[in-house]
Each structure stands twice: as structure tokens, then as C-alpha cells.
Amino acid sequence: QVYNKNPAGEKSVKAVEDTVGQVLKYKGNVVEAYYYSTSCGHTGTMENWNLSDDKTYGYLKSVWVKKDAPKTDLSKEKNFRTYIQSGDEVCFDGKTPYFRWSAALDFNQKDENIRNILKEQKKANGKNITFYAKDGTRKKSLKGFGAIAEVSVKKRGTSGAVKMLKLEFENGMALVKNEYNIRRILGAALKEVTLQDGTKNTQMTVLPSAYCVLDYDKNTKTASAIGGGFGHGIGMSQYGADGMAQAGYSCDEILGFFYHDVKIESIY
């Protein structure tokens, strides 16, 4: 996924040679094997992108990235907050840097930048961005809305990711869907991200993931976030797969864990 200007090595060459001609299929069709860096301990579905979980993507299901799955409803704000604020070292990627992180956000003098992002996102896909006046009337633009007054989680998805972000303005409101849109909006206010190994990053412009809780201070127009994972959270966690391999799981078992009801087939 990431090009680091490294030449082909013995392991990478062997991986390619051992899987030449092999594909993953679901109900006879080659799958889109979505993957990302790190999970928060739980994977998501197409819901994270505000898309319906239709039959085409039936192989993408939410799973706990560990051997034993607890029965916790992460769509409930209280449950998710409790989980994300704790460590979970039994998860297959639980000891990696981005498994847990905290972020400091400052919304002062960010109104114009955030407005521009909202306009751009609405133009790209209108169903993910909705504007409302204070009386609940739906609006086509942010005209007359004024400055940002508060930012909060309006709704959380079944996997725990923020499904809808609410931005309250002085004279209106914007509702934002799609994990990347949400991460980008919050990223516009990012000051610093601290990973669980103590590493600090002040250069990020997009929040690591939408698996987070948010606490906004109206008086200072600042917020703190505690989250987990890096990436969209759909499909296979790369660090989770690495953790499973180190625990003795085979390639087939790892793929079957993240992609449900799939078959590995040779097409040549």
C-alpha cells in the first residue's frame, strides 16, 4: 500500500509467486477486498461510507478483531466511549501505535476553511451533506449561518464509527455523513495527535479514523477526541492481519476472518 522505495525482497517475491492467479470470490464474483492500516478493535461495513449493505458487499461484515467477540453494542454512545477509552491488548493489532490515539482540535479561525470543505463535499455528493436553518428548514447553502458554535456526534454506526457529525452554527446546522468527510472536517481543526506509544504528530490534516468520541468546549471553541485505528475501517486491518499471522493463523484463515463467505479460486 505504501511505497517506501524499497526493492523487491525475498518475502515479497515469494508472496507473489505463491498466489499467482488466485483471487477472492463471493457468490462467483471477484470481490473488492477493501483494507486499511489499523482497526480500533472492530471492523466496519459500507455503512461507514453511507452506502447500503446490499448483497454485492455481503462479504463485508463487522467483526471484533480478536479471538473472542464480546456482545457489546458499539452504536450506543456510552458503550463506545467506554470501549475506546480503554486498551484492548488481546486484539490482534492492539499493541500497534494507532490502535489508540488522542487528538487536540482548535476551531478558532477555522470557519472559512470548514465552510469551503462542506461546500466541496456537498458538490461531490449531496446526500452526505445536509444544511438546515434554525427553524428546521432545509437549505441549499450555508449563507447566513454565521460562525461555528458547536461540533458533536449526532449518530454512531453499528461498528462504532461516527455515522453522522453535527456542526451547529449561530443560525443553522450542517449534518455530515461518510467517514472520510467527517475525518476531513475534524482534521481542519487538528492541532496534534498523540499515539498510544507516545509519538506526537502535528502535521496531520485528516483525523486518523472516525472511530472516536468528541468533547467540545463552547467557551474556547476547542475539542478533544479519543479514538482508535487508522483508515476507513472497512474490510481487513493490515496490522490486524499481521497480528493474526504472528499468532499462527494461515493466509486462508486471515482472509476468511475479514471477508466472510469468500472462496480463493485460481483463474489461471
Side-chain angles (χ1 to χ4, degrees):
Q1 182 188 16
V2 181
Y3 179 59
N4 292 319
K5 297 184 180 179
N6 293 326
E10 183 180 340
K11 289 184 178 180
S12 59
V13 170
K14 188 176 189 303
V16 172
E17 291 177 343
D18 287 352
T19 58
V20 167
Q22 293 183 8
V23 295
L24 274 182
K25 284 189 175 184
Y26 174 71
K27 293 186 176 180
N29 298 311
V30 176
V31 307
E32 291 187 77
Y34 294 111
Y35 63 94
Y36 54 97
S37 169
T38 312
S39 80
C40 76
H42 200 273
T43 71
T45 66
M46 301 302 277
E47 178 185 43
N48 289 11
W49 287 332
N50 194 28
L51 297 172
S52 61
D53 297 329
D54 62 26
K55 296 178 181 179
T56 305
Y57 299 103
Y59 57 93
L60 294 172
K61 299 183 184 299
S62 293
V63 296
W64 287 92
V65 190
K66 53 186 176 182
K67 188 176 180 180
D68 298 314
K71 294 180 179 180
T72 304
D73 184 356
L74 293 179
S75 68
K76 303 294 184 183
E77 188 67 25
K78 182 179 179 180
N79 293 349
F80 183 80
R81 183 175 287 267
T82 298
Y83 176 68
I84 207 69
Q85 289 180 333
S86 67
D88 194 353
E89 290 192 354
V90 298
C91 277
F92 293 120
D93 45 7
K95 296 180 181 180
T96 57
Y98 275 98
F99 184 73
R100 288 289 180 271
W101 47 264
S102 60
L105 300 91
D106 187 347
F107 288 87
N108 287 286
Q109 299 181 331
K110 299 297 192 306
D111 295 274
E112 185 177 357
N113 188 16
I114 290 175
R115 282 171 174 275
N116 289 335
I117 293 172
L118 284 169
K119 291 175 186 176
E120 181 186 323
Q121 292 172 333
K122 188 170 180 61
K123 186 177 180 180
N125 192 334
K127 75 172 187 175
N128 290 327
I129 310 290
T130 315
F131 303 142
Y132 295 93
K134 270 202 168 183
D135 63 2
T137 305
R138 199 160 175 166
K139 295 292 183 179
K140 293 182 179 180
S141 73
L142 293 163
K143 186 177 180 180
F145 274 34
I148 292 173
E150 187 174 4
V151 181
S152 60
V153 174
K154 175 71 172 176
K155 192 173 183 180
R156 199 171 290 282
T158 55
S159 68
V162 179
K163 186 175 182 179
M164 185 186 296
L165 186 71
K166 179 180 179 181
L167 286 87
E168 291 186 62
F169 293 82
E170 292 173 312
N171 303 304
M173 174 182 69
L175 297 180
V176 182
K177 297 178 181 179
N178 184 303
E179 59 83 29
Y180 181 73
N181 291 344
I182 292 166
R183 292 164 62 197
R184 192 175 170 206
I185 289 292
L186 296 177
L190 262 182
K191 288 181 62 181
E192 181 179 81
V193 177
T194 303
L195 311 186
Q196 72 173 4
D197 64 357
T199 302
K200 294 183 182 295
N201 190 326
T202 58
Q203 304 301 313
M204 298 188 79
T205 57
V206 176
L207 203 69
S209 84
Y211 289 88
C212 65
V213 292
L214 191 66
D215 292 298
Y216 187 90
D217 187 327
K218 291 183 179 181
N219 294 321
T220 61
K221 291 191 70 173
T222 61
S224 61
I226 296 176
F230 191 7
H232 51 67
I234 302 170
M236 185 180 72
S237 159
Q238 290 173 287
Y239 277 108
D242 181 59
M244 291 183 72
Q246 292 185 41
Y249 288 80
S250 69
C251 172
D252 291 12
E253 288 173 327
I254 293 170
L255 291 173
F257 182 88
F258 290 105
Y259 308 111
H260 295 250
D261 302 319
V262 295
K263 292 181 180 180
I264 300 176
E265 296 183 13
S266 294
I267 55 176
Y268 59 84

